[in-house]
Every structure is written in structure tokens, then in C-alpha cells.
């Protein structure tokens, strides 16, 4: 018996979705590193990762556009699964119990925490794009008065800090909930994982697989 059939796996992300996610994640790391280097003199040495500070300064906005486009694609893949329902409210109200390892509510593909994070990421991405374009010296900044550029940079830094804090939580959850990182690396989760953390999604997937096998 193969490892797969023994473990009873369910596909959660296709290859295209995983590549999309990791391109966004890589861009995020490069942007966070270079952004922190521009913002805090103590981190200036981090620009060395790009070769020279000048290169970091040139590349930062281009990588930002790639991240936004990548996230935009993710947004259209997942927005429909990220609307809060009453089961998510139950989950959110009992988050302390969840953190102790006992799941609450009939959770679908994503739980209340993931959904909140999805909208937080979306909001930060939009603010980062708009403020980033306004303050992009090489192309657009000349069309805006200096006070507008200053405000844009202030909001850019705030959105970046909120996103960095959010992604730290996102990564922690991905590593802390056993079996979750596999979803984004191999594309699969075990049925036991799905049943425990996303019972409604588990039932939907089983129903879909049953319907498929009856058709074949
Ligand atoms: C850098 C390290 C990162 C790790 C280790 C990581 C890990 C993961 C994992 C394991 C999942 C699957 C969760 C599940 O299906 O229950 C996931 C989903 C997702 N990740 Fe990440 N991620 C990272 C960075 C990012 C970044 C930077 C973004 C965007 C700003 C992002 C956006 C998403 C989105 C939109 C989903 C789909 C789930 C949803 O709609 O809530 N991730 N990530």
C-alpha cells in the first residue's frame, strides 16, 4: 500500500496555486527586508542582500508590483471562501479554547482567524500599492505635491508594519497547526486534519469525491 492511500489525503491546493503563493511570499520577504532597511538606519546593512543599496532602492517598487499582481490573483482565487458566517463568529468567540487545541464550530475551508487575516492582507496590499505608486520617485511622484508624498510614505510604512505583524501570525499558525504547512508545500492534507480543523470543508470534499467516483 502506498503512503498516500494509507494516509488518506485530500488535495487542498493545486500546483499553480502553490507557485502563486510562494512567489508572493518570496516577494514579501524581499520587500520587508529592503523596506525595513530604508526605514531604520540600524537595518541599513540589509540592503546588502540586493548587492548595493542603490539596487535595493530601484528593485523594491518593482518587486512590490509583482507581489501585488500575485496577491491579486490569490484574491480572486479565494475571496469567495473568506466571507464570515455564524460558525466563524462562534470560532472567534472561542479562540482561547481553539488555541488550547480544541476546535469549535462547523468550520468550512477557512476558519474565522484565516478569514480575518485574508481581509487584513487585502487591505494592506491596496494601501501599499496606492501609496507606493504615489511615492515612486522614478515614475509617478512628480505628479503629486510633496505633502501628499509624505502622507503616502507614512501610510505606506503603517500598512507595511501591520502586514509584517499579520504575516508573522500567518506563518506561526501555518507551522504551529500540525499538517498545515504540507497543504502549501505538497498541496495535500490528511483527512484527519481536514475533519479536525475544517469539518464542513471535509464533508464537502468527501461528497464531491463520492459524486466523482459514482460518475466514473
Ligand atoms: C512567508 C511565509 C509564509 C508561509 C510559511 C505561509 C504558509 C501558508 C500556508 C501553510 C497556507 C495554507 C493554509 C490553509 O490552507 O489552511 C497559506 C495560505 C495562504 N497564504 Fe500564506 N504563507 C506565507 C506567506 C504569505 C504571504 C506573504 C501572503 C500574502 C501577503 C500569504 C497569503 C496567503 C493566502 C491568501 C492564503 C490562502 C488562505 C486564505 O485565504 O486565508 N502567505 N499560507
Amino acid at each position: 500500500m502506498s503512503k498516500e492511500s494509507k494516509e488518506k489525503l485530500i488535495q487542498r491546493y493545486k500546483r499553480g496555486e502553490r507557485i502563486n503563493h510562494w512567489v508572493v511570499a518570496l516577494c514579501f520577504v524581499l520587500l520587508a527586508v529592503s523596506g525595513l532597511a530604508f526605514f531604520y538606519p540600524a537595518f541599513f546593512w540589509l540592503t546588502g542582500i540586493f548587492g548595493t543599496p542603490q539596487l535595493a532602492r530601484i528593485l523594491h517598487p518593482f518587486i512590490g508590483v509583482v507581489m501585488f499582481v500575485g496577491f491579486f490573483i490569490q484574491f480572486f482565487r479565494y475571496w469567495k471562501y473568506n466571507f464570515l458566517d455564524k460558525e466563524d463568529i462562534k470560532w472567534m468567540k472561542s479562540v482561547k479554547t481553539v488555541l488550547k487545541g480544541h476546535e469549535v464550530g462547523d468550520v468550512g475551508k477557512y476558519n474565522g482567524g484565516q478569514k480575518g487575516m485574508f481581509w487584513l492582507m487585502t487591505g494592506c496590499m491596496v494601501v501599499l500599492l496606492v501609496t507606493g505608486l504615489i511615492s515612486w520617485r522614478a515614475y509617478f511622484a512628480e505628479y503629486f505635491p510633496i505633502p501628499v508624498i509624505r502622507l503616502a510614505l507614512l501610510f505606506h510604512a503603517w500598512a507595511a508594519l501591520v502586514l509584517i505583524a499579520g504575516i508573522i501570525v500567518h506563518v506561526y499558525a501555518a507551522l504551529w497547526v500540525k499538517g498545515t504547512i504540507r497543504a502549501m508545500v505538497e498541496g495535500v492534507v490528511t483527512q484527519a486534519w481536514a475533519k479536525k480543523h475544517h469539518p464542513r470543508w471535509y464533508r464537502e470534499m468527501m461528497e464531491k469525491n463520492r459524486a466523482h467516483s459514482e460518475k466514473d
Side-chain angles (χ1 to χ4, degrees):
M1 200 189 261
S2 74
K3 191 176 169 226
E4 264 188 32
S5 53
K6 226 178 8 195
E7 276 190 330
K8 290 199 189 142
L9 301 175
I10 307 182
Q11 177 148 42
R12 193 154 162 90
Y13 296 106
K14 298 204 176 100
R15 181 183 297 184
E17 292 180 90
R18 284 177 275 146
I19 293 172
N20 185 177
H21 175 271
W22 291 119
V23 168
V24 172
L26 175 68
C27 289
F28 168 81
V29 172
L30 293 174
L31 288 161
V33 165
S34 49
L36 286 171
F38 302 146
F39 201 76
Y40 296 107
F43 288 135
F44 189 69
W45 58 275
L46 283 170
T47 55
I49 291 171
F50 294 81
T52 66
Q54 290 80 358
L55 203 52
R57 188 73 186 78
I58 292 168
L59 290 178
H60 181 94
F62 285 105
I63 301 171
V65 171
V66 176
M67 178 172 80
F68 183 84
V69 172
F71 185 81
F72 193 72
I73 300 170
Q74 284 195 300
F75 179 85
F76 281 99
R77 286 187 201 278
Y78 308 123
W79 66 273
K80 50 185 175 292
Y81 306 114
N82 280 289
F83 290 117
L84 284 181
D85 57 36
K86 64 176 193 322
E87 294 300 322
D88 300 320
I89 307 292
K90 239 193 247 172
W91 186 95
M92 285 165 137
K93 282 186 176 159
S94 313
V95 72
K96 275 192 188 157
T97 316
V98 176
L99 288 174
K100 284 182 197 151
H102 311 288
E103 287 290 349
V104 177
D106 195 20
V107 174
K109 184 161 187 183
Y110 297 116
N111 62 40
Q114 289 175 301
K115 290 179 180 180
M117 189 61 75
F118 178 82
W119 295 110
L120 182 85
M121 287 173 183
T122 305
C124 288
M125 285 288 169
V126 172
V127 175
L128 286 168
L129 178 79
V130 173
T131 55
L133 290 178
I134 293 174
S135 47
W136 196 346
R137 304 272 172 202
Y139 300 108
F140 307 110
E142 62 180 297
Y143 302 109
F144 298 94
I146 286 170
V148 173
I149 298 173
R150 284 189 183 144
L151 263 183
L153 284 170
L154 183 68
F155 285 114
H156 197 75
W158 269 111
L161 280 182
V162 171
L163 186 62
I164 290 171
I167 295 299
I168 290 173
V169 175
H170 177 76
V171 174
Y172 186 73
L175 300 173
W176 182 60
V177 180
K178 209 167 156 249
T180 304
I181 193 71
R182 191 175 182 187
M184 219 23 119
V185 176
E186 295 174 37
V188 291
V189 290
T190 62
Q191 286 189 14
W193 179 95
K195 209 169 171 177
K196 179 169 186 211
H197 301 293
H198 302 273
R200 196 169 76 231
W201 179 71
Y202 168 74
R203 290 198 306 277
E204 286 161 7
M205 291 305 285
M206 296 316 278
E207 193 48 51
K208 214 163 117 189
N209 290 347
R210 205 172 302 131
H212 264 291
S213 53
E214 276 167 17
K215 227 169 49 183
D216 293 337

